[in-house]
Amino acid sequence: MTASEVRVPAAGSFPPGFLWGVATSAYQIEGAVDADGRGPSIWDTFARVPGAVAAGESGDPACDHHRRWPEDVALLAGLGVGAYRFSVAWPRVLPEGGGRVERRGLDFYRRLVDALRERDIVPFVTLYHWDLPQALEDRGGWRVRDTAERFADYAATVHEALDGVPYWTTLNEPYCSSITGYAEGRHAPGAREGHGALAAAHHLLVGHGLAVARLRENARPGERVGVTLNMSPGVPASPSPEDAAAARRMDLMVNRQFTEPLLGGAYPADMAEVYGEITDFSFRRDGDLELVSAPLDFLGVNYYYPIHAAAAPYAQPDPALRSAYDIGVRTVMPDGPRTSGLGWRIEPRGLRDTLTGLAARFPGLPPILVTENGYGDAGELDDTGRVAYLAEHLAAVADAVAEGVDVRGYFCWSLLDNYEWARGYAARFGLVHVDYATQARTPKTSYGWYRDVVTGRGALPAVP
């Protein structure tokens, strides 16, 4: 199959004004981790821990975007996208997490925003994409409420400095920031905790609510505020009641502990049943739900794959030592197509089910933007696997739209090959290949294909 043979939904499958974009994040592309007064982040620290990251790799130099951003903006313009989703590095703006503002950091993002606007590309800012200042982690990190309050201060600082940004996302994937980082230990800061990880999840939501309030205090006309969640449907590995219960627990851990407070104004009813042995929930305060559930202008949804769950014994029988990731579940990988780089299951229907499920569960759901969706491979320039993946998932979005879900945009992950967190640089998600030795950028087959899709030249009949 060639890229020209892959069919995508017709342009009419998406609503007028549909926002086509691509996404990146600061630590994954910027490099320059000690330039212009930037302070260390938890990822700078974590990457130095032996064995924490594949091949001992870190986010420096990544894609050297901090210096090469004009070249990357030119790639965006050539792609024809209407929007660019990027994150601001908290330690580049507030090196100690609070207090002293590093104006050189803000100036970098001002230049980027101005360059995007000159090319009629909508800047779509994410305020937190996992790079917590190490100074705040040293004081407890997201386990403590003070970090949520410092995040609101940081959000207000960036908002004041960056005029001309119509879309503001508070958090990217709080599940990964809390459970993957504080319970599973696979991401920074590398902790394996019970109560502390659940406190981190809650304080991330509190930080979101505080930041929303600060952003709206001084909102400019036309600005929209939202949050981005990574959504992975929990699927029972078998018809057994035990596996159905395991999938329900997985759904709680990954999805519902975030969607229910944010969109429904309530804590999940089974939260105490699953986690009552490892926490007393003392991190919750009166008024938190009202703060967290403030109305959103949009909801960002990141989707890659569903999680097939089977029941399993606890890895740690003693609740006092059990992490919040240890919920009596074993993930399984059924037969079927997988991505070539990471071996992730390819199940486009899961994206449609995620979108329709949200709309069914939450009346009054704000408009949805698919803020990440992409394919990791080993770096092929003729990346027809990525083209097929994107086409199938765009068809799934079109299916959800046809069923009445209010989806307003789609952002491909990612513009550039980049640092893939604990996996280092081996897995590549970019529409543009990056030679990390020379920093040369080379558009792949998928770059031209996606350009034709977003500009209307590649909108062919719907996938059957």
Side-chain angles (χ1 to χ4, degrees):
M1 179 191 65
T2 66
S4 62
E5 293 171 328
V6 175
R7 300 196 301 171
V8 300
S13 301
F14 302 100
F18 193 80
L19 200 58
W20 294 100
V22 288
T24 64
S25 88
Y27 191 73
Q28 291 180 273
I29 67 168
E30 284 182 0
V33 297
D34 55 1
D36 292 340
R38 178 190 178 276
S41 78
I42 56 174
W43 271 95
D44 298 303
T45 301
F46 184 69
R48 292 195 297 270
V49 176
V53 176
E57 294 169 331
S58 74
D60 189 19
C63 304
D64 197 23
H65 174 75
H66 189 258
R67 289 196 307 118
R68 296 174 181 266
W69 65 267
E71 182 179 356
D72 296 336
V73 171
L75 285 166
L76 289 165
L79 191 55
V81 292
Y84 174 48
R85 178 176 177 249
F86 64 95
S87 74
V88 172
W90 188 346
R92 202 175 289 286
V93 174
L94 294 166
E96 291 83 36
R100 179 179 65 87
V101 176
E102 179 50 76
R103 295 294 168 185
R104 290 174 293 179
L106 288 174
D107 287 344
F108 166 70
Y109 296 109
R110 286 193 187 100
R111 291 191 293 270
L112 178 59
V113 167
D114 289 346
L116 293 170
R117 294 182 64 198
E118 288 170 4
R119 291 160 178 80
D120 295 323
I121 300 170
V122 174
F124 195 110
V125 168
T126 299
L127 287 164
Y128 186 68
H129 200 128
W130 309 356
D131 46 1
L132 183 71
Q134 182 62 42
L136 292 181
E137 177 61 25
D138 292 343
R139 300 200 292 271
W142 287 109
R143 305 173 190 84
V144 300
R145 196 178 188 93
D146 182 68
T147 298
E149 295 167 353
R150 299 292 72 74
F151 175 67
D153 293 341
Y154 154 69
T157 298
V158 176
H159 178 262
E160 180 183 7
L162 299 186
D163 195 2
V165 176
Y167 288 91
W168 293 88
T169 301
T170 54
L171 308 174
N172 179 78
E173 301 185 351
Y175 167 78
C176 292
S177 300
S178 56
I179 302 302
T180 311
Y182 286 89
E184 187 183 1
R186 185 164 55 87
H187 282 182
R192 292 178 173 85
E193 301 176 11
H195 175 86
L198 296 170
H202 182 72
H203 291 141
L204 279 154
L205 295 181
V206 170
H208 156 79
L210 292 170
V212 168
R214 296 287 292 276
L215 293 173
R216 286 189 166 141
E217 282 176 9
N218 298 296
R220 305 174 184 96
E223 287 184 341
R224 301 169 179 86
V225 180
V227 67
T228 285
L229 305 178
N230 53 312
M231 305 288 293
S232 290
V235 180
S238 80
S240 74
E242 293 80 11
D243 285 357
R248 178 77 175 167
R249 293 193 296 275
M250 181 64 73
D251 181 52
L252 169 72
M253 181 176 71
V254 176
N255 303 313
R256 289 185 291 112
Q257 71 168 315
F258 304 101
T259 56
E260 305 304 308
L262 283 164
L263 304 172
Y267 300 118
D270 53 343
M271 194 93 174
E273 175 187 345
V274 174
Y275 285 126
E277 287 188 318
I278 66 174
T279 183
D280 59 2
F281 301 101
S282 55
F283 43 77
R284 295 174 179 172
R285 294 186 184 178
D286 291 343
D288 280 355
L289 280 174
E290 290 77 12
L291 179 70
V292 168
S293 63
L296 301 172
D297 299 314
F298 65 89
L299 173 67
V301 171
N302 294 353
Y303 173 84
Y304 292 93
Y305 53 81
I307 300 175
H308 296 260
Y314 289 116
Q316 172 52 258
D318 184 352
L321 302 175
R322 189 180 301 154
S323 86
Y325 187 74
D326 187 4
I327 56 172
V329 174
R330 173 177 58 90
T331 60
V332 300
M333 185 71 72
D335 293 335
R338 303 184 188 184
T339 61
S340 63
L342 295 172
W344 290 352
R345 277 278 295 170
I346 301 174
E347 297 188 47
R349 183 183 176 89
L351 176 53
R352 191 213 71 169
D353 292 347
T354 293
L355 299 174
T356 57
L358 283 167
R361 289 204 315 276
F362 299 106
L365 183 75
I368 291 175
L369 296 163
V370 178
T371 39
E372 280 187 34
N373 178 235
Y375 178 97
D377 62 19
E380 297 88 346
L381 289 175
D382 187 20
D383 54 342
T384 53
R386 176 170 293 106
V387 169
Y389 177 99
L390 296 176
E392 291 167 353
H393 285 78
L394 285 172
V397 175
D399 287 344
V401 171
E403 293 184 42
V405 183
D406 186 5
V407 184
R408 303 280 182 91
Y410 176 93
F411 290 74
C412 174
W413 183 270
S414 172
L415 173 65
L416 304 169
D417 291 338
N418 55 50
Y419 181 72
E420 187 50 37
W421 306 109
R423 296 181 177 89
Y425 292 99
R428 293 173 177 263
F429 280 84
L431 300 174
V432 176
H433 180 274
V434 177
D435 182 329
Y436 297 115
T438 66
Q439 293 297 340
R441 274 87 159 128
T442 305
K444 303 176 188 178
T445 295
S446 60
Y447 178 95
W449 179 86
Y450 193 59
R451 177 195 60 219
D452 289 347
V453 170
V454 303
T455 58
R457 294 194 295 270
L460 303 175
V463 174

